[in-house]
Amino acid sequence: MKEVLIIYYSQTGQLFDILQNVASTISDEKVNISYCEIIPKKKFPFPWKQEEFYGAFPETFLQIPTPLEAISAEILQKKYDLVILGYTTWYLTPSIPINSFLKSEEAKLLLANTPVITVSASRNMWIMAQEKVKKLLVVNNAKLVGNIALVDRNMNHISVITIVHWLIGGKKTKMLGIFPKPGVSDKDIAAASRFGVPIKEALLQNEYSNLQQNLLEVGAVKIDPSLIATDIRGNVVFTKWANHLIKKEGEERKKWLVYFKYYLLFAIWLIAPIVFIVFLLTYIPMYRKIQRDKAYYLSVALKQD
């Protein structure tokens, strides 16, 4: 009997639905699947209030852990053949609960010398968050063997509007009845079951060398090259903002978080289009680098610093 552990934090429930669908084609009489929900001691609200939503930015981006509820002894005492790690992206970074887990002693115990598959659900930019996860997996002596990244397929500026409607309003519905539903589409969530087929094959054979390529062949990762530069640039700017905000307290922090909110709107609506135009203008001379970057981010490799 193969033992698989699915570790996740799913604030809205969307990611959990995806993971369950992936698991549906893995589980059978030869494979037992267990679930481990990461639960922070101080719950993050859903739906979010605006102040709390923006207030989570500095600690999220700087990857500052928060205390978690203990994982059950039953899970910790078992050795797993495969771990599937499900996470969402907050501010170009793995969510605080998942980051906190990956920096815990429990993560070292569960992930050491174990194959890991990451499954993420995000609006559109997940690449740099995945790089951060890769580094934390290395620290835990885990072996990343596969990656699945599902995103909102709607246009960037449409998805910005709809995701706010969902996270602040609390309902994954069509805003005003005319906008598309936010997040990963219902069709893509249901179709996530196809990813379980190559995963199960690799698991039963204990051979993961071709798993990522097999996952790519069934659409596990799609990369928009224009978003790579935006994600990287966003991390540079967020570093400055986060390091500044983390030093602020009380009313001073609240004031600066308002400034950060308006900066985000400015960046999304004005800077991002400029970055996209620059990408188009430099596409031909940068073609080879763009293709190298795309191939790297499709893989499970980690660049050496």
Side-chain angles (χ1 to χ4, degrees), residues 265-279:
L265 295 173
F266 174 75
I268 290 168
W269 293 96
L270 292 175
I271 297 178
I274 293 172
V275 172
F276 179 67
I277 292 170
V278 171
F279 169 78

Side-chain angles (χ1 to χ4, degrees), residues 18-59:
I18 292 168
L19 291 167
Q20 281 190 308
N21 287 334
V22 173
S24 69
T25 47
I26 300 175
S27 180
D28 66 8
E29 67 280 357
K30 296 180 181 178
V31 181
N32 181 56
I33 296 182
S34 303
Y35 288 84
C36 175
E37 181 182 8
I38 301 303
I39 303 174
K41 287 187 175 181
K42 182 181 178 182
K43 304 295 189 295
F44 290 93
F46 184 76
W48 288 90
K49 294 180 180 178
Q50 283 204 34
E51 184 177 320
E52 293 168 318
F53 178 77
Y54 293 105
F57 163 68
E59 286 76 15

